[in-house]
Amino acid sequence: MKTYLDTLGHPDRELSDEDMALAQALQINGRASFREIADALAVSDQTAARRWSRLRSAGKLRVLGLTDPLRLGDSLWVVRVRCTPDAAASIGEAMARRTDTSWVNLSSGGTEIYCAVRTRGPGPEESPLLQKLPRTPQVVDVSAHCLLHIFFGQDLSSINKRGPLTAAQIRALAPPVAPLRAPDAMPAVTLTDGDRHLLDMLARDGRAAPAELAAATGLSPSTVRRRITELRTSGALYFDVEYHPDLLRQNFRAALWLEIDPSRLAEAGAALAAHPEVSFAAAVTGTTNLYASIDVATAQLFYRYLTESVATLPGLRHTATAPVHRTLKGPGPYLPTRP
């Protein structure tokens, strides 16, 4: 059966240094003009545009405009589903086809699924999937952990850590108005029908031209520009580079679940987010209150990471790991746009 990842093609495994620089530039500012990118990378506008067109056409990279669930009054759940061995793959593939999941992995030798599920509203009762899973035959156990705070993710990805750009280049590319890390007490952003249509377009192509977006939404180009700026300023909209998993993914990947002393959770989360092995890190509900996705080259390096880096995290009480057996959806732990 064809999975989500089969639709992305099979590009070469490596990006050149020049391609990686362009990818990092777009991760910093997904809607930067080719002139802005060219100035920062010391290439011509035509070279930057041609390089991007080649990478996008080959299915290696694309820029997506995504929304922060917390700023829209939605919630995100990291869900673990234990199944009988003969059912995990088929159930996982069904979950991968849903629009309210953003990534779906098989782990524990193919007997466990873990995934990200977005719900409208704060509770799991808002999700048909979370209501249905416990009643699904051959599902042994379901646990849902509400995402409380992202330490590394959304507009930050492995590209930020592995890219070659200097601090001066990063400053030059930063958008004029950076996305806000809004306090939890701020009210949710209210979207109009026009906003929703605009966001749906950006979720398919984050670099779509204002004229194209205007034609599709019925808004004027100036309104499109203004509303994108407003949504970015509010923190509701951010831009992310989606890349084919073969390009940056290491050979050994695992989910890491940590129990941290609550008084040290913020400190531990910030420290974890700085580790080069971490592609996503967030505080979640449950006894294991810190979750991370780990990418390393080998199992031996994962052992070294656990014993040398994870072991020194402040307030660490308990560690649990689950190696990724197979990815059914998503090259990384991306948040979905909207269910």
Side-chain angles (χ1 to χ4, degrees), residues 10 204 264 278:
H10 298 281
R204 292 191 287 271
R264 309 296 297 276
V278 172

Side-chain angles (χ1 to χ4, degrees), residues 57-120:
S57 298
K60 292 185 176 183
L61 301 175
R62 62 175 179 163
V63 175
L64 305 180
L66 305 178
T67 55
D68 182 343
L70 300 181
R71 294 298 294 118
L72 297 182
D74 298 341
S75 58
L76 189 75
W77 300 78
V78 179
V79 180
R80 304 178 71 173
V81 183
R82 287 197 299 116
C83 306
T84 57
D86 61 322
S90 59
I91 293 174
E93 287 167 357
M95 293 171 67
R97 291 190 292 269
R98 296 180 61 93
T99 59
D100 55 353
T101 61
S102 57
W103 49 265
V104 180
N105 290 323
L106 292 182
S107 65
S108 304
T111 62
E112 183 177 12
I113 304 163
Y114 67 97
C115 64
V117 178
R118 184 163 177 170
T119 66
R120 292 188 182 275

Side-chain angles (χ1 to χ4, degrees), residues 5 8 13 243-250 327 330-332:
L5 292 180
L8 297 179
R13 288 185 64 85
Y243 53 87
H244 189 282
D246 285 347
L247 295 177
L248 295 179
R249 191 171 69 189
Q250 301 278 16
T327 295

Side-chain angles (χ1 to χ4, degrees), residues 277-292:
E277 299 85 354
V278 172
S279 58
F280 182 81
V284 296
T285 56
T287 303
T288 50
N289 52 3
L290 186 57
Y291 166 81

